[in-house]
């Protein structure tokens, strides 16, 4: 699955459906250290597949949420930093580095059906 060395994998299993709380898992992932990865083992329920639809609306919303979660995390950190008085030496270089490297979309993996 090409998980990074030392990754802590959180797995969700079964059909990908809106009643399973996947949104909550993505939101929580945004608050966890970057070595945590969310792996979704499963697929869209066969009865929900529609002809001539490029992507299921729920799956599309999950993908969009990963972008939104990343944006919210970065904006929140930048807002906190912007409130510090000018010239303050208290900005942690690790915080700045983590903002530059923060990429939640690469931490959410759609694995597919396990056979």
């Amino acid at each position: 699955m090409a998980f990074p060395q030392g990754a802590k994998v959180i797995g969700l299993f079964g059909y990908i459906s809106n009643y399973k709380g996947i949104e909550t898992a993505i939101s929580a992932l945004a608050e966890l250290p970057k070595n945590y990865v969310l792996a979704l083992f499963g697929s869209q329920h066969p009865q929900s597949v529609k002809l001539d639809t490029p992507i299921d609306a729920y799956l599309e919303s999950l993908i969009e949420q990963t972008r939104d979660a990343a944006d919210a995390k970065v904006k929140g950190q930048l807002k906190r930093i912007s409130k510090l008085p000018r010239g303050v030496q208290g900005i942690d270089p690790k915080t700045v580095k983590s903002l530059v490297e923060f990429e939640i979309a690469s931490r959410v993996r759609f694995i597919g059906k396990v056979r």
Side-chain angles (χ1 to χ4, degrees):
M1 300 302 153
F3 293 118
Q5 183 76 19
K8 296 185 186 293
V9 180
I10 300 167
L12 298 177
F13 299 85
Y15 291 124
I16 298 173
S17 300
N18 60 357
Y19 64 87
K20 291 201 172 187
I22 297 171
E23 301 91 341
T24 303
I26 292 171
S27 296
L29 184 66
E31 301 301 320
L32 292 171
K34 66 181 182 178
N35 63 323
Y36 282 80
V37 177
L38 177 63
L40 302 172
F41 296 90
S43 64
Q44 183 179 351
H45 192 282
Q47 295 296 321
S48 68
V49 176
K50 296 178 181 130
L51 289 174
D52 300 322
T53 303
I55 187 169
D56 177 71
Y58 179 65
L59 291 175
E60 187 172 36
S61 75
L62 292 176
I63 293 167
E64 188 61 35
Q65 184 188 357
T66 62
R67 292 186 197 120
D68 292 347
D71 288 348
K73 175 83 171 186
V74 170
K75 286 177 184 173
Q77 291 283 32
L78 290 174
K79 185 175 181 180
R80 188 175 61 80
I81 289 171
S82 71
K83 290 182 179 181
L84 293 173
R86 288 202 177 272
V88 169
Q89 300 298 320
I91 298 176
D92 181 11
K94 288 180 183 178
T95 300
V96 175
K97 184 177 182 205
S98 72
L99 287 175
V100 172
E101 294 177 350
F102 189 79
E103 176 54 50
I104 194 169
S106 66
R107 296 170 51 204
V108 176
R109 306 283 178 90
F110 290 87
I111 306 300
K113 285 177 29 174
V114 179
R115 297 170 199 225

